[in-house]
Amino acid sequence: MSKIQEIAQAVQAGKIKIVGGLVEEALAEGLDPVQILNESMIGTMAIVGNKFQRSEIFVPEMLIAAKAMKKGVEVLKPRLAGEAGISLGKCIIGTVAGDMHDIGKNLVAMMIESTGFEVIDLGVDVSPDQFIGALQSNPDTKILALSALLTTTMPAMKRSIEAVKGAGLMHFKIIVGGAPVTQEYANQIGADGYSPDAASAAALAKQLIA
Ligand code: B1M
């Protein structure tokens, strides 16, 4: 079995204690960190999600697989992010109200940081008022980044945008993303940009402030 397959199996089985070590071994073997992330982790979470949908596994198994993936990402982080050494300004990021998913949001935060932004991560289940508070405390913010993983929390993304604009806060660009979010939805809710993954979110953030 290849190291990629070993990591994928360990993530899927939620083997939190061994994932970090396997990722270190894969890196020592010279495997590309992006390949490890995409093939043994992101792809595996899609499999986990499909199993959940078919009721082959339940929330606890999904949660433990997510925790195992986080352990692997911790090891990969220094190899993925690098040191930007420049400051493009502040980016406030959060997963919108009602939504507890943070793996994708954390990857987006990591990539945006590595592009050269100072990232203020508000975490998960962030209310419109919390976004407003953070934007008021950081008037020099250049990018507001919103993540949503549930179709049921996409409206919270819309409410967040309406709320910040309603509060007269317009000095930044808004980007959105997450599995159910589309370019069409981003246009509908008045976001300045949408991207399907973490790497393109970072490129988009940089492009929007150029
Ligand atoms: Co949840 N969950 N979950 N879950 N979960 C999904 C999203 C689901 C698709 C599973 C399924 O049914 N197939 C489904 C949503 C269905 C829908 O709405 N259409 C679902 C459900 C139903 C639920 C619960 C309701 C289950 C329940 O309780 N009955 C519940 C909701 C809790 C809540 O939030 N209120 C729930 C709970 C959980 C756990 C807590 C157990 C756990 C999350 C743990 C955590 O995040 N700390 C979990 C997990 C792990 C998943 C799956 C399996 C994996 C998500 C993940 O981390 N993927 C997921 C299935 C799936 O996605 N296929 C599922 C890996 C990650 C790297 O990808 O987050 O998509 P992703 O991020 C990508 C892109 O989307 C994009 O870039 C990232 C990296 O490239 N991106 C952005 C993300 N944010 C972006 C922002 C941007 C740009 C790009 O700009 C700002």
Side-chain angles (χ1 to χ4, degrees):
M1 193 192 304
S2 74
K3 196 58 82 187
I4 293 279
Q5 286 169 322
E6 267 188 74
I7 299 168
Q9 277 196 3
V11 168
Q12 203 178 136
K15 295 195 172 160
I16 294 169
K17 287 188 182 152
I18 67 166
V19 170
L22 287 174
V23 173
E24 271 164 14
E25 285 171 25
L27 290 170
E29 282 177 19
L31 286 173
D32 175 21
V34 175
Q35 186 195 2
I36 300 173
L37 178 70
N38 287 337
E39 293 179 17
S40 66
M41 297 184 193
I42 295 183
T44 303
M45 293 313 281
I47 295 170
V48 168
N50 291 338
K51 285 191 165 183
F52 172 77
Q53 226 165 7
R54 294 195 299 266
S55 300
E56 290 171 19
I57 61 167
F58 300 94
V59 172
E61 287 97 327
M62 199 155 68
L63 184 58
I64 200 148
K67 284 187 177 163
M69 173 166 169
K70 279 189 179 181
K71 287 283 174 197
V73 172
E74 270 170 31
V75 177
L76 284 181
K77 187 174 174 182
R79 301 288 291 271
L80 289 170
E83 287 298 323
I86 43 164
S87 181
L88 296 177
K90 288 181 184 165
C91 166
I92 292 178
I93 189 166
T95 303
V96 298
D99 200 322
M100 309 306 289
H101 296 84
D102 69 352
I103 296 180
K105 182 265 297 166
N106 292 347
L107 287 175
V108 172
M110 196 171 89
M111 295 307 287
I112 288 183
E113 194 176 352
S114 73
T115 305
F117 287 89
E118 179 191 338
V119 172
I120 299 170
D121 189 345
L122 303 181
V124 295
D125 190 17
V126 182
S127 68
D129 281 350
Q130 285 172 289
F131 283 120
I132 290 173
L135 287 161
Q136 284 169 338
S137 308
N138 296 279
D140 51 346
T141 297
K142 297 275 177 56
I143 297 284
L144 174 64
L146 308 177
S147 177
L149 257 289
L150 299 169
T151 44
T152 50
T153 56
M154 287 166 69
M157 197 169 246
K158 180 171 185 270
R159 281 198 300 278
S160 299
I161 294 179
E162 285 168 355
V164 296
K165 288 188 177 174
L169 300 163
M170 315 268 271
H171 56 280
F172 46 82
K173 300 287 183 189
I174 302 174
I175 63 171
V176 296
V181 181
T182 60
Q183 179 68 58
E184 196 190 357
Y185 186 69
N187 296 343
Q188 261 177 42
I189 63 176
D192 298 296
Y194 156 81
S195 60
D197 57 53
S200 61
L204 175 66
K206 195 172 173 182
Q207 182 196 319
L208 282 173
I209 62 147

